[in-house]
Amino acid sequence: MTEKILEINSVSFTTGKEKILSGIDFSVQASEHITITGPSGGGKSTLLKLIASMLTPTTGTINYRERNIAEIDPTTYRKKVSYLFQNPTLFGTNVKDNLAFPYEIRDEKFDEMKSIKWLEQVKLDRSYLIKPVKELSGGEKQRVALIRNLMFKPDVLLLDEMTSSLDMKNKNILFDIIKNLNEKDKMTILSVTHDEREISRATRVIRISEGKVEQK
């Protein structure tokens, strides 16, 4: 029997006087690929940020492997449940600075060969290691940010409109990587998207409208 890796229990989120989410309930099985979709402004990205422990529910709980994430050290949790922003920020001078960062926070030696293999998987050659981040295109930045999240593979990968601003070539590159992570590596994927092709690749679709789950 597949284990529940995440449980969202009666989660609501209010900011000021505005209720963004109300009574969200669903669970995620390990190795699922779930797409969260619905109208703009319905609360999808807010839900993903709550699962990522970037926001705290107003009411309700989120459990990771049967433990309330509010009781887990945030740094420890984010190594297991990794969030990729829609418009990721790259830091430092070059690509290597970004790919070395996951090693630095773990106090480990940077694995340059591993980073080169990842670059090649996303159709970037080894010369990109020393390429200044300010010279990267939007698609290249998104691919580097994804690799940064995958240098140490998380249990759960959260993708917030990952491909919304990319052309079809870049979308297909990332679609193939996500498919392999889910099917071959059994990584659990939760993605917020409006892209019909991305939705069709999911094993389950959860639709959120006006802060509530319409279907699951």
Side-chain angles (χ1 to χ4, degrees):
M1 185 175 178
T2 308
E3 71 166 317
K4 287 181 183 178
I5 196 165
L6 288 168
E7 293 176 274
I8 291 80
N9 302 312
S10 302
V11 165
S12 298
F13 183 77
T14 302
T15 177
K17 294 182 179 180
E18 184 181 7
K19 180 162 267 192
I20 308 296
L21 294 169
S22 179
I24 302 293
D25 274 295
F26 66 92
S27 59
V28 180
Q29 305 295 323
S31 304
E32 271 198 287
H33 180 182
I34 294 177
T35 289
I36 302 170
T37 189
S40 295
K44 304 182 301 298
S45 290
T46 299
L47 175 60
L48 213 64
K49 287 183 174 73
L50 288 164
I51 295 171
S53 190
M54 297 170 64
L55 297 173
T56 302
T58 305
T59 60
T61 59
I62 298 172
N63 292 344
Y64 166 72
R65 297 190 185 278
E66 301 185 345
R67 187 178 173 194
N68 188 339
I69 66 172
E71 299 171 357
I72 304 173
D73 172 69
T75 302
T76 301
Y77 178 69
R78 289 168 191 160
K79 288 176 182 176
K80 298 295 185 181
V81 180
S82 186
Y83 178 93
L84 182 64
F85 289 85
Q86 180 178 356
N87 297 302
T89 299
L90 300 185
F91 45 77
T93 303
N94 55 31
V95 169
K96 183 177 179 180
D97 290 340
N98 287 270
L99 303 188
F101 178 71
Y103 289 87
E104 291 171 9
I105 63 174
R106 291 170 173 83
D107 198 25
E108 293 188 25
K109 183 182 178 182
F110 177 52
D111 188 339
E112 186 165 310
M113 287 309 301
K114 184 177 180 180
S115 71
I116 290 169
K117 287 180 181 178
W118 268 118
L119 285 168
E120 290 172 347
Q121 283 191 54
V122 300
K123 312 302 182 189
L124 301 174
D125 63 49
R126 65 176 61 207
S127 70
Y128 272 80
L129 270 182
I130 57 172
K131 189 161 186 174
V133 294
K134 63 183 180 182
E135 294 181 10
L136 298 176
S137 68
E140 289 169 342
K141 286 180 180 177
Q142 190 68 286
R143 283 181 269 172
V144 170
L146 177 60
I147 295 173
R148 185 173 63 192
N149 284 51
L150 297 174
M151 294 302 293
F152 291 85
K153 289 180 183 175
D155 287 345
V156 182
L157 185 60
L158 307 174
L159 306 172
D160 192 357
E161 298 278 9
M162 176 183 70
T163 63
S164 63
S165 60
L166 304 182
D167 59 25
M168 190 54 65
K169 178 183 177 182
N170 277 300
K171 283 186 179 186
N172 286 332
I173 290 169
L174 295 185
F175 285 160
D176 288 344
I177 291 169
I178 297 307
K179 181 179 180 181
N180 283 335
L181 289 170
N182 178 242
E183 294 182 359
K184 293 183 179 178
D185 296 338
K186 304 303 180 185
M187 187 180 294
T188 306
I189 311 285
L190 274 77
S191 62
V192 166
T193 186
H194 290 100
D195 190 295
E196 290 298 331
R197 291 178 66 243
E198 194 172 346
I199 292 169
S200 70
R201 290 168 178 251
T203 54
R204 180 157 58 116
V205 176
I206 294 175
R207 180 177 170 83
I208 292 182
S209 180
E210 298 180 352
K212 296 183 179 180
V213 173
E214 283 193 351
Q215 60 195 66
K216 55 184 175 179

